[in-house]
Amino acid sequence: AAETLGTFLMFVHQREHDSKHYDDSLRKAETGLAKNTDNDVHGALLVVMELLNHPKKLEDSDTDTKLSLSMAKTLRDSMNRKFRDFAQCILDKKSSQTPLIQQAVITLIP
């Protein structure tokens, strides 16, 4: 699912050159983490994982380098502003009894 989001974001980046999908994904991840249902939390963790990895993918992409670097910086700045909130939410989920959430948390913690 996270890879599909990454593919979608790359496709949108190539077509629209706009950060609205990143911002929307970020808001939905925040909402999912706040809902506290296993499906919402797991989905939100996957989105956070992809949004953390996506700037590097943009920097390595074959598309317009100047635009890709600009979008990578925009997304990195957005994630940096939310870093402490996301980090706390992720750490709060580390004791989850749901294996998929445990796996996502382990993957997100360096």
Side-chain angles (χ1 to χ4, degrees):
E3 288 178 29
T4 302
L5 174 62
T7 302
F8 168 76
L9 290 173
M10 286 301 285
F11 177 77
V12 168
H13 167 72
Q14 292 169 357
R15 301 278 187 241
E16 295 186 16
H17 313 299
D18 187 330
S19 67
K20 68 182 175 186
H21 295 287
Y22 301 118
D23 297 335
D24 188 45
S25 296
L26 194 57
R27 277 191 302 279
K28 288 182 180 182
E30 290 174 304
T31 301
L33 287 170
K35 285 187 177 179
N36 265 340
T37 65
D38 288 346
N39 287 336
D40 289 325
V41 169
H42 180 247
L45 291 172
L46 293 178
V47 169
V48 169
M49 190 180 317
E50 189 56 38
L51 291 175
L52 287 170
N53 293 325
H54 201 67
K56 179 69 175 147
K57 291 178 183 178
L58 285 172
E59 293 166 349
D60 295 342
S61 73
D62 295 338
T63 59
D64 180 0
T65 306
K66 204 177 220 184
L67 181 62
S68 293
L69 292 176
S70 173
M71 291 299 276
K73 182 181 180 334
T74 298
L75 180 55
R76 189 172 280 119
D77 289 346
S78 294
M79 293 305 291
N80 282 338
R81 280 192 303 277
K82 302 286 185 173
F83 179 79
R84 288 192 190 277
D85 294 335
F86 278 128
Q88 188 59 55
C89 285
I90 291 164
L91 290 174
D92 289 346
K93 306 301 180 196
K94 73 179 187 283
S95 59
S96 172
Q97 297 300 309
T98 305
L100 287 174
I101 293 175
Q102 291 172 348
Q103 181 181 6
V105 167
I106 289 169
T107 302
L108 281 164
I109 297 175

